[in-house]
Amino acid sequence: MVEQFVGTWTLLSSENFDEYMKAIGVGFATRQMGNMAKPNLVISVDDAGMVSMKSETTFKTTEIKFKLNEEFDETTADGRKTKVGHLLSVGFIFYKRYIVFLTTKRDFQTLITCENGKLVQQQTWEDKKTTLEREIQDGKLTAKCVMDDVVAVRTYEKGA
Ligand code: DKA
């Protein structure tokens, strides 16, 4: 399934990306770089099923390596770190003369799955969540970036 994404892809068009970056909390200066950049997206997979997704621009190159369905820590191009401890619940019990507080905490990371031909990347950080859905349509790779009700669509064409 991932094989269809393998190759070098160059950004062709980008719609609503500034609004998407605002929605995920990217600051002004980084947004200007994001708007100007024309990344090459290089995707490869090795025999063990480890996928590499590298985004190369003149400003910055970021790479993630992951296996499908396995959570991993990600530091995004704009510096978000997806490994953040979240408090899920707080309770307490009485023990002898004491009140004992009980907490449940877990780390949310990045998870990438392949669903109906789409590579779906879920990033969770602080109390926020965004989804990047990549699919091949008419030989082009589209990345649909969703944060709440804000959607950006970026289209890449395959390089030589
Ligand atoms: C894509 O593959 C989507 C990339 C989303 C990056 C969000 C942060 C950008 C900060 C410059 O094209």
Side-chain angles (χ1 to χ4, degrees), residues 2 5 12 17 33 68 77 88 91 95 113 121 123 128 133 138 145 151 160:
V2 180
F5 293 91
L12 195 59
F17 192 51
M33 290 194 276
L68 291 176
L88 291 183
Y95 178 70
T113 54
Q121 178 175 5
Q123 297 171 330
K128 298 173 190 154
E133 273 184 24
D138 301 327
C145 316
V151 179

Side-chain angles (χ1 to χ4, degrees), residues 13 44 50-51 57 65 85 87 107 111 113 140 142-143 148 151:
S13 64
S44 60
M50 182 67 75
V51 183
T57 71
K65 288 189 171 185
L87 204 54
D107 291 327
L111 179 67
T113 54
K140 297 197 168 61
T142 59
D148 299 330
V151 179

Side-chain angles (χ1 to χ4, degrees), residues 11 17 20-21 24 26 30-31 33-35 39 41 55 76-78 80 132 134 143 145 154 156:
L11 187 72
F17 192 51
Y20 170 75
M21 288 190 288
I24 60 172
V26 180
T30 307
R31 289 208 315 276
M33 290 194 276
N35 285 326
L41 186 62
S55 175
T76 62
D78 53 302
R80 283 168 293 134
L132 304 166
R134 295 185 175 88
C145 316
R154 286 158 69 76
Y156 291 78

Side-chain angles (χ1 to χ4, degrees), residues 15 21 23-24 27 32 43 58 86 107 114 121 127 130 135 138 143 160:
E15 291 163 27
M21 288 190 288
I24 60 172
Q32 304 321 301
I43 302 177
T58 46
H86 286 252
D107 291 327
C114 202
Q121 178 175 5
D127 56 350
T130 184
E135 68 179 312
D138 301 327

Side-chain angles (χ1 to χ4, degrees), residues 35-63:
N35 285 326
M36 281 194 296
K38 200 177 173 208
N40 278 334
L41 186 62
V42 185
I43 302 177
S44 60
V45 57
D46 72 13
D47 292 343
M50 182 67 75
V51 183
S52 159
M53 202 185 286
K54 196 189 286 190
S55 175
E56 301 173 338
T57 71
T58 46
F59 304 113
K60 195 170 197 171
T61 292
T62 53
E63 182 178 18

